[in-house]
Amino acid sequence: ANFGGGGEKQNPKIKGIWHLFILKKVPSVLKYIAKYLAPRDEDSMSDEAKALRVRVMLRVGVFGIPLIAKLDESAASMAANIPEGSCQWKVKPDGPTMHLVKEKGEFHASKGDMETPSAKVDFKDMPAALGVLTGKKDGMKAMMSGDLAITGQTQIAMMLMPLQAKLGKAMK
């Protein structure tokens, strides 16, 4: 090993028990570094696999809201404060569309477009949706860059976000 510079090889000098402790930790530190330098799953996925991941995440995120609102006490109290109406999530130009309706205090999720949703959450395209849904892109930054648009009664969409976050935590 060349630790001294100038082209001469030297062995590291380790003194004391503390240095042995540090050397013992090197393999785990190297594993940690390798983990974070390795390409992420999405980086090596095909476009079809990424689109499938978006479809699954969106469906779970929308269809899971009625379940988490019934099964989790704190989610139920959050859900009770959401006004009646509907919210539609769409991945443009031809991606999946899901919607959620709150009617008489109950949530109902469905696939497809709604004629007149109260609130709309539109992703510019599949990569934008994947970035936001996986948390790799912040929602506010996505809105400012045009990758995400929330229109209509935005209060409904914003109040549903903590329920989706709670659902995500429950899935981990």
Side-chain angles (χ1 to χ4, degrees):
N2 183 356
F3 297 103
E8 64 184 80
K9 290 187 177 187
Q10 297 179 357
N11 290 325
K13 295 178 183 175
I14 301 170
K15 294 181 183 178
I17 193 94
W18 178 248
H19 293 287
L20 289 174
F21 177 76
I22 292 172
L23 277 178
K24 210 173 176 185
K25 294 287 183 184
V26 168
S28 62
V29 170
L30 290 175
K31 283 181 188 176
Y32 183 80
I33 291 170
K35 176 183 172 185
Y36 286 96
L37 290 179
R40 297 283 186 238
D41 289 340
E42 284 110 24
D43 296 338
S44 60
M45 292 171 76
S46 68
D47 289 342
E48 293 82 21
K50 290 176 185 178
L52 176 62
R53 187 163 190 196
V54 167
R55 283 181 170 82
V56 169
M57 291 180 78
L58 190 58
R59 190 167 201 165
V60 168
V62 175
F63 280 76
I65 289 175
L67 292 173
I68 198 79
K70 283 183 184 176
L71 300 175
D72 184 278
E73 287 180 35
S74 64
S77 66
M78 284 189 266
N81 293 321
I82 297 173
E84 302 235 333
S86 59
C87 187
Q88 175 177 285
W89 290 263
K90 183 175 190 141
V91 179
K92 293 181 175 183
D94 55 357
T97 303
M98 311 282 168
H99 62 269
L100 184 74
V101 177
K102 184 177 182 191
E103 195 172 51
K104 298 178 185 170
E106 295 284 322
F107 287 105
H108 306 281
S110 297
K111 292 188 320 181
D113 286 306
M114 289 190 73
E115 199 169 306
T116 55
S118 305
K120 291 172 73 176
V121 179
D122 292 323
F123 296 98
K124 180 177 91 175
D125 53 22
M126 284 288 185
L130 183 64
V132 173
L133 293 174
T134 59
K136 289 190 176 194
K137 186 160 192 170
D138 177 66
M140 288 304 288
K141 289 180 182 175
M143 287 175 61
M144 293 192 318
S145 69
D147 287 342
L148 174 66
I150 301 175
T151 56
Q153 294 179 19
T154 57
Q155 174 191 14
I156 293 174
M158 298 304 229
M159 292 178 84
L160 288 168
M161 286 179 191
L163 288 175
Q164 289 176 315
K166 199 162 226 349
L167 179 64
K169 286 180 184 176
M171 302 274 299
K172 287 186 180 180

